[in-house]
């Protein structure tokens, strides 16, 4: 076919895609349905016109459309990686990770159940092998993520529910295509007597191999993208290459699922981009891939729909029965998941409770589309597939896709309306009325002054101001007559807005160079969890989630164990430095939220709610400050280094803004600004390297500050430092158990511990010691010692402690005083001869 003709047809198809969106909005149908219908009409029209005695130009154009080189490889290797990568890149992954259990179960289990249900339902009727029927089941198990997610984005559905459905739809395609590849191999290569157990053995490698390869490739590509920050076009070009390279690497070299690899690569870039790419780069990346995904989705639907008339041309009445059986089996399988598995997950508290209307909408909204048609086309093109299987697959898959698009797609909005999902809740309606009233009142305060500044006629300004005032009064009246919003709900809504603004401030701090990539990632994820926790639990959910974010995670606990037991200190030093940096930078962000409460939230929710939010924020700030004070005691001087570094970063940012203002005012030229910014970047690079935390040096500082050893001669104190070991304990850590015979003495450098003995509770703090009395008496302990705060303890083994006790009068007096307070008899002279 002439290249000029192909270019003309492709250009016409782009025009069709561009017109489909406004047409879909006007018809109130999903855009994918409109695209598919337009493609079917174009294909059927071309088929009819090519056979009619019409002018040569018309028949030639119709024949050119029919002769387009549309092959399955075009869909699977060109359009599918782009479409899948765009969905993975745009999904809210951080918040989706909180619901990974229901998402994975729904995606993997739903595909398996649907494949088995359709395969076994067709097996007695289709006259095909069981593996061929299972292959058809895998083909029709793929859903169209854009159509499914569009249901919830068009209705006031809970965001967590929409997130679960979006994640399930994305992973559903990957799992279904992986299963299709297995069954295709069994059918195409004529493997004798294949068993479903063979599928179970190979399926994990398809998923795991593709997932690992894709995730690592995504991280590598993101590293490259971060190095091209000054070259945005190069960034976009590298991002476009990523899904195709990953797809080919996984499919051809590793024998794993290329679709799974592309999904994993997109999720890796999605997850780590906020901390590695600037907001401008991420915005450009999102815009680029939104456009590419829109083009790929549109072309894949239109081109696949062009083939539908040819795929169903040889349909027989019996084929209608097969399509009907497929529809019923697929709906039954999806219904079993939605009305069987999902409620079970809800009772086990692994998934949010999903109301019946939402489950019905999900059931009816499981639209199939381009991916199903592409897989069916791959079957019809394969020379290894028997002709009877080709014909049945093409007709059943196409008929099933047409049913979901034409029947389900066109009635979907009516079903949503019938279920009442298109209406706001009374609370949201009342809130929206109040938000509109407050916004219009704010506009009224400035409209007259702005009009006068423009020099408009006084009479016109007065008349328009009166008209606008009438609108404001009507909005206020509607807000007053609406449903009264309880203060409890207002507090929850305010805290959600507060957490969202905290997320924005974190991204602003990263953009301004105050936060490193790793910390920005963590703080953005914490803000997202804060939003979810507040929505689920109100003010208590907000505070509990905030405390959980400041607590010790798994990495900190593992690092502490490595240090305390194996003397491997590097992981703990890194974790402590991360915690220090987090607390130091979190304080200014929390303080900035007070202004947001006064300027935005108070105007909508009132003074009482604003004051309560101030109190809750103050409690959170106090907890952060207490944690930071505790760490300052544990690691003297390190917090000061981080705070000085933060101040210097702020100064650099202000200096950069000042240079930009001077350029804008024309006081300095761009060449001079470039030179000045080069110097700023060098200093910023120096400040980006966090000061190292040396735990050995910290031990020297702690020993020198310990009251018992303050007057000790320098040479003896150095020997003591070399003999001591540092032990870090989180609250609740048991340090000494009842009936345990101590083999070392513990000195509390910071924090506090609690001793329980004979029903009595004693608390020991900084500068005190424990374990020495039981060690000296060679007797088991009568109580238990537990850390009640983050504590740094210095330990000295038995032989070194006894040697120190003989030589140091101050230590002997401290031991005797400790024994006297606890009612334990010790002989002072005996201590000198130990």
């Amino acid at each position: 076919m002439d290249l000029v003709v192909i270019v003309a047809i492709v250009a016409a198809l782009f025009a069709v895609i561009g017109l489909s969106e406004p047409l879909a909005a006007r018809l109130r149908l999903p855009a994918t349905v409109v695209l598919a219908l337009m493609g079917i009409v174009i294909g059927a029209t071309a088929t009819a016109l090519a056979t009619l005695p019409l002018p040569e130009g018309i028949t030639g154009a119709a024949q050119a459309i029919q002769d387009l080189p549309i092959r399955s490889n075009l869909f699977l290797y060109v359009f599918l990686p782009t479409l899948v990568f765009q969905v993975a890149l745009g999904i809210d992954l951080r918040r989706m990770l909180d619901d990974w259990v229901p998402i994975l179960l729904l995606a993997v289990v739903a595909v398996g159940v649907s494949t088995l249900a359709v395969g076994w339902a067709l097996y007695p009727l289709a006259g095909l092998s069981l593996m061929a029927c299972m292959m058809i089941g895998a083909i029709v198990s793929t859903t169209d993520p854009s159509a499914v997610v569009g249901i919830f984005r068009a209705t006031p559905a809970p965001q967590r529910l929409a997130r679960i459905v979006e994640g399930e739809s994305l992973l559903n395609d990957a799992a279904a295509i992986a299963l299709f590849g297995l069954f295709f191999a069994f059918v195409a290569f004529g493997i004798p007597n294949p068993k479903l157990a063979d599928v179970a053995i190979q399926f994990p490698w398809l998923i795991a191999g593709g997932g690992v390869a894709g995730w690592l490739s995504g991280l590598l590509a993101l590293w490259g993208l971060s190095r091209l920050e000054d070259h945005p076009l190069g960034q976009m070009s590298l991002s476009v290459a990523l899904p195709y390279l990953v797809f080919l690497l996984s499919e051809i070299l590793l024998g794993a699922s290329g679709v799974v690899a592309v999904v994993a690569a997109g999720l890796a870039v999605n997850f780590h981009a906020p901390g590695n790419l600037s907001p401008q780069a991420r915005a450009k990346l999102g815009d680029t891939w939104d456009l590419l995904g829109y083009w790929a989705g549109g072309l894949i639907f239109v081109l696949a729909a062009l083939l539908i008339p040819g795929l169903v041309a040889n349909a027989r009445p019996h084929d209608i029965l097969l399509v009907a059986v497929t529809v019923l089996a697929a709906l039954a399988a999806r219904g079993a998941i939605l009305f069987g598995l999902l409620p079970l997950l809800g009772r086990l508290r692994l998934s949010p409770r999903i109301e019946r209307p939402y489950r019905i909408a999900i059931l009816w909204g499981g639209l199939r589309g381009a991916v199903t048609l592409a897989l069916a086309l791959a079957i019809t093109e394969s020379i290894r597939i028997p002709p009877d299987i080709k014909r049945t697959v093409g007709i059943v898959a196409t008929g099933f896709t047409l049913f979901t698009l034409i029947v389900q797609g066109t009635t979907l909005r009516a079903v949503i309306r019938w279920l009442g999902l298109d209406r706001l809740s009374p609370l949201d309606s009342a809130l929206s009325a109040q938000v509109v009233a407050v916004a219009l009142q704010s506009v009224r305060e400035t409209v007259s002054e702005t009009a006068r500044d423009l020099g408009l006629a006084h009479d016109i300004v007065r008349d328009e101001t009166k008209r606008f005032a009438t609108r404001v009064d009507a909005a206020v009246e509607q807000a007053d007559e609406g449903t009264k919003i309880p203060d409890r709900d207002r507090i929850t809504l305010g805290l959600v807005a507060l957490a969202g603004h905290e997320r924005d401030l974190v991204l602003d701090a990263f953009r301004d160079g105050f936060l490193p990539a790793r910390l920005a990632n963590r703080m953005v994820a914490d803000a997202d969890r804060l939003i979810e926790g507040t929505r689920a639990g109100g003010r208590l959910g907000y505070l509990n989630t905030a405390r959980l974010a400041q607590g010790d995670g798994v990495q900190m606990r593992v690092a502490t164990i490595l240090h305390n037991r194996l003397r491997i200190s590097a992981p703990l030093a890194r974790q402590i430095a991360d915690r220090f940096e987090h607390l130091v930078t979190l304080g200014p962000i929390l303080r900035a939220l007070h202004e947001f409460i006064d300027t935005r939230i108070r105007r909508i929710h009132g003074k009482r709610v604003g004051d309560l939010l101030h109190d809750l924020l103050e409690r959170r700030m106090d907890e952060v400050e207490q944690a930071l004070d505790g760490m300052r005691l544990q690691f003297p001087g390190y917090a000061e280094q981080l705070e000085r570094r933060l101040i210097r970063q702020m100064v650099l940012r202000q200096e950069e803004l000042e240079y930009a203002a001077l350029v804008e005012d024309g006081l300095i030229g761009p060449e001079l600004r470039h030179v000045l910014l080069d110097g700023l970047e060098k200093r910023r690079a120096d400040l980006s390297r966090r000061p190292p935390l040396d735990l050995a040096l910290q031990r020297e500082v702690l020993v020198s500050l310990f009251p018992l050893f303050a007057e000790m001669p320098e040479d003896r104190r150095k020997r003591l430092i070399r003999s001591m070991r540092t032990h870090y304990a989180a609250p609740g850590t048991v340090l000494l158990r009842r009936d345990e015979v101590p083999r070392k003495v513990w000195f509390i450098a910071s924090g506090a511990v609690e001793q329980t003995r004979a029903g009595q509770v004693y608390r020991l703090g900084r500068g005190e010691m424990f374990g020495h009395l039981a060690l000296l008496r060679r007797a088991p302990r009568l109580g238990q010692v537990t850390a009640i705060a983050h504590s740094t303890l210095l330990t000295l083994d038995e032989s070194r402690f006894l040697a120190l006790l003989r030589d140091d009068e101050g230590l002997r007096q401290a031991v005797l005083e400790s024994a006297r307070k606890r009612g334990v008899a010790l002989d002072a002279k005996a201590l000198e001869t130990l």
Side-chain angles (χ1 to χ4, degrees):
M1 180 181 290
D2 188 6
L3 180 61
V4 175
V5 176
I6 295 178
V7 171
I9 294 176
V10 172
L13 292 180
F14 270 106
V16 169
I17 294 171
L19 294 174
S20 66
E21 192 170 11
L23 182 61
R26 189 174 186 84
L27 298 176
R28 299 178 66 81
L29 292 173
T32 50
V33 174
V34 173
L35 281 170
L37 293 176
M38 294 174 74
I40 294 171
V41 170
I42 293 172
T45 303
T47 302
L49 293 178
T51 59
L52 294 176
L54 296 172
E56 183 179 353
I58 297 177
T59 56
Q63 190 63 46
I65 293 175
Q66 286 186 308
D67 293 340
L68 277 176
I70 304 174
R71 299 291 183 267
S72 61
N73 286 346
L74 178 66
F75 298 110
L76 297 178
Y77 286 92
V78 177
F79 295 138
L80 188 59
T82 299
L83 192 62
V84 172
F85 188 80
Q86 186 270 330
V87 176
L89 197 63
I91 202 169
D92 194 346
L93 179 60
R94 285 184 178 81
R95 292 166 68 182
M96 193 182 81
L97 287 176
D98 295 331
D99 297 302
W100 67 273
V101 173
I103 288 173
L104 284 182
L105 284 176
L106 282 172
V108 178
V109 175
V111 167
V113 171
S114 178
T115 300
L116 292 174
V118 172
W120 283 110
L122 288 176
Y123 182 52
L125 303 172
L128 304 177
S129 66
L130 179 60
M131 289 297 108
C133 294
M134 291 296 174
M135 182 174 64
I136 296 175
I139 290 174
V140 301
S141 294
T142 59
T143 58
D144 176 21
S146 59
V148 175
V149 174
I151 300 172
F152 300 95
R153 291 183 177 174
T155 63
Q159 290 299 311
R160 191 180 183 196
L161 173 60
R163 190 165 59 249
I164 290 175
V165 174
E166 188 172 4
E168 181 261 335
S169 299
L170 175 63
L171 300 181
N172 170 292
D173 277 359
I177 293 173
L179 267 181
F180 163 78
L182 283 178
F183 289 122
F184 177 84
F186 288 138
V187 176
F189 295 100
I191 298 177
N193 302 319
K195 300 178 181 179
L196 291 179
D198 298 332
V199 178
I201 292 173
Q202 298 182 39
F203 186 69
W205 167 248
L206 290 175
I207 300 297
V212 173
W215 188 269
L216 295 178
S217 299
L219 294 180
L220 181 61
L222 187 60
W223 177 84
L225 291 174
S226 66
R227 297 300 184 274
L228 295 175
E229 192 70 34
D230 296 331
H231 306 282
L233 297 180
Q235 277 186 324
M236 299 308 106
S237 301
L238 180 59
S239 73
V240 171
L242 173 60
Y244 296 103
L245 294 176
V246 169
F247 188 89
L248 296 175
L249 169 69
S250 185
E251 285 281 342
I252 298 175
L253 297 182
L254 301 180
S257 170
V259 177
V260 173
V262 173
V263 170
L267 293 179
V269 174
N270 181 341
F271 185 76
H272 293 286
N276 290 276
L277 300 180
S278 67
Q280 295 85 352
R282 286 188 294 109
K284 186 178 290 292
L285 186 69
D287 292 341
T288 299
W289 276 99
D290 284 344
L291 180 60
L292 292 176
Y294 177 69
W295 285 347
L299 287 173
I300 198 173
F301 259 99
V302 174
L303 292 175
L306 289 175
L307 303 173
I308 288 178
L311 290 173
V312 298
N314 298 320
R316 303 168 188 166
H318 181 67
D319 297 326
I320 299 176
L321 173 64
L322 297 182
V323 173
V325 169
T326 302
V327 170
L328 293 176
L331 288 174
R334 192 166 179 81
I337 298 298
L338 291 169
F339 295 93
L341 180 60
L342 266 184
L344 177 62
L345 292 176
R347 284 193 290 270
L348 296 175
R349 296 186 178 182
L350 296 175
S351 170
R353 184 173 179 268
I354 300 176
E355 302 294 339
R356 182 177 294 271
Y358 290 118
R359 283 181 276 160
I360 295 174
I362 297 172
L363 174 63
W364 198 246
L367 307 184
R368 271 62 169 182
V371 177
T372 300
L373 293 177
L375 296 180
L377 184 62
I379 296 297
T380 61
E381 292 177 355
S382 176
I383 61 175
R384 296 182 178 274
I385 301 294
D388 57 333
I389 296 179
K390 287 185 183 181
R391 179 189 164 280
T392 303
V393 168
I395 292 174
V396 171
T398 304
F400 180 72
T401 301
L402 288 175
F403 176 85
T404 63
L405 291 175
I406 296 175
V407 178
Q408 293 177 234
T410 56
T411 60
L412 188 56
R413 193 172 293 274
V415 171
I416 291 175
R417 187 166 54 250
W418 172 66
L419 294 171
L421 298 179
D422 59 341
R423 294 188 293 272
L424 289 173
S425 67
L427 176 63
D428 288 334
S429 298
L431 179 63
S432 66
Q434 294 199 8
V435 169
V436 170
V438 170
L440 291 180
Q441 287 175 318
S442 300
V443 173
R444 181 169 61 179
E445 295 172 1
T446 59
V447 65
S448 298
E449 182 180 349
T450 302
R452 283 194 299 269
D453 292 341
L454 294 175
L456 302 179
H458 178 71
D459 293 340
I460 296 176
V461 172
R462 182 178 58 188
D463 184 57
E464 289 299 319
T465 302
K466 287 181 179 180
R467 292 184 60 184
F468 187 76
T470 302
R471 182 184 171 195
V472 173
D473 294 338
V476 172
E477 183 179 355
Q478 181 182 358
D480 292 338
E481 293 176 354
T483 303
K484 182 175 177 57
I485 304 176
D487 280 351
R488 180 184 62 186
D489 292 334
R490 288 187 178 277
I491 291 171
T492 299
L493 293 170
L495 288 173
V496 169
L498 203 62
H501 189 61
E502 180 179 336
R503 187 183 195 276
D504 295 338
L505 291 176
V506 169
L507 293 176
D508 289 344
F510 169 68
R511 180 197 62 199
D512 294 339
F514 300 151
L515 293 180
R518 183 179 60 257
L519 182 58
N521 267 328
R522 174 186 172 180
M523 295 180 72
V524 167
D526 288 344
D528 288 337
R529 293 190 187 96
L530 203 58
I531 294 173
E532 286 298 333
T534 305
R535 284 174 173 160
R539 71 173 80 179
L540 289 179
Y542 177 85
L543 292 174
N544 290 335
T545 306
R547 293 189 187 105
L548 186 63
Q550 294 175 27
D552 293 334
V554 175
Q555 292 179 331
M556 174 66 87
R557 291 194 289 270
V558 171
T560 303
I561 292 173
L562 290 175
H563 171 82
N564 292 341
R565 298 185 179 180
L566 303 178
R567 318 315 305 172
I568 300 175
S569 300
L572 181 62
R574 185 166 56 251
Q575 289 295 317
I576 292 172
D578 287 346
R579 181 176 172 82
F580 248 126
E581 193 170 26
H582 178 221
L583 294 174
V584 167
T585 53
L586 183 59
I589 289 175
L590 294 182
R591 280 188 285 275
L593 293 177
H594 282 293
E595 181 182 358
F596 181 72
I597 295 175
D598 291 332
T599 57
R600 305 297 294 177
I601 295 178
R602 189 190 294 269
R603 296 178 65 88
I604 295 175
H605 296 294
K607 181 177 184 302
R608 173 177 167 79
V609 173
D611 291 342
L612 286 172
L613 295 185
H614 278 303
D615 291 341
L616 291 173
L617 190 57
E618 285 292 343
R619 289 172 60 181
R620 190 176 167 202
M621 290 175 60
D622 289 342
E623 292 173 357
V624 171
E625 192 60 34
Q626 289 173 7
L628 188 56
D629 287 341
M631 296 196 72
R632 285 191 179 105
L633 292 175
Q634 286 182 282
F635 309 97
Y638 190 69
E640 179 184 344
Q641 295 182 54
L642 292 179
E643 289 170 346
R644 290 182 181 276
R645 171 173 171 251
L646 181 61
I647 292 173
R648 291 167 186 169
Q649 288 173 328
M650 294 172 60
V651 170
L652 281 181
R653 177 57 180 167
Q654 292 300 320
E655 188 176 347
E656 183 180 20
L657 293 175
E658 185 64 25
Y659 292 153
L662 292 174
V663 171
E664 187 175 349
D665 294 339
L667 297 177
I668 64 174
E671 297 83 3
L672 178 57
R673 182 195 179 196
H674 181 73
V675 174
L676 295 173
L677 290 182
D678 279 347
L680 282 179
E681 288 301 323
K682 292 178 181 178
R683 280 181 282 167
R684 181 174 284 126
D686 292 338
L687 288 174
S688 66
R689 291 188 288 273
R690 186 174 60 194
L693 176 61
D694 189 340
L695 295 182
L697 180 61
Q698 293 292 322
R699 184 176 64 214
E700 295 180 16
V701 176
L702 290 172
V703 171
S704 64
L705 295 176
F706 212 88
L708 278 176
F709 312 123
E711 303 299 327
M712 183 178 289
E714 186 68 22
D715 57 340
R716 185 183 298 177
R717 189 162 61 200
K718 287 183 178 180
R719 290 197 301 270
L720 176 64
I721 290 171
R722 288 194 295 268
S723 303
M724 281 185 156
R725 295 290 179 265
T726 312
H727 190 99
Y728 298 97
T733 303
V734 177
L735 302 171
L736 286 176
R737 300 185 182 278
R738 180 183 174 87
D739 297 330
E740 179 182 351
V741 179
R743 292 289 180 252
K744 56 187 173 183
V745 178
W746 302 71
F747 299 88
I748 305 174
S750 68
V753 302
E754 190 174 75
Q755 288 184 319
T756 55
R757 184 175 60 187
Q760 299 294 319
V761 177
Y762 305 91
R763 289 190 173 179
L764 304 177
R766 181 182 180 187
E768 298 188 86
M769 57 182 166
F770 60 91
H772 55 291
L773 298 180
L775 184 147
L776 291 172
R777 293 186 296 114
R778 301 292 195 276
R781 285 194 54 82
L782 300 178
Q784 181 171 284
V785 181
T786 306
I788 59 174
H790 284 282
S791 304
T792 301
L793 305 113
L794 302 172
T795 64
L796 196 61
D797 63 34
E798 181 178 2
S799 60
R800 290 187 174 91
F801 173 72
L802 294 178
L804 181 64
L805 191 62
R806 286 193 299 267
D807 298 337
D808 194 287
E809 176 64 23
L811 181 59
R812 286 198 300 272
Q813 293 301 320
V815 169
L816 290 172
E817 179 64 19
S818 173
R820 185 187 62 78
K821 288 182 179 180
R822 300 175 198 181
V824 178
L826 284 180
D827 186 353
K829 293 184 178 179
L831 294 181
E832 300 177 6
T833 59
L834 286 173

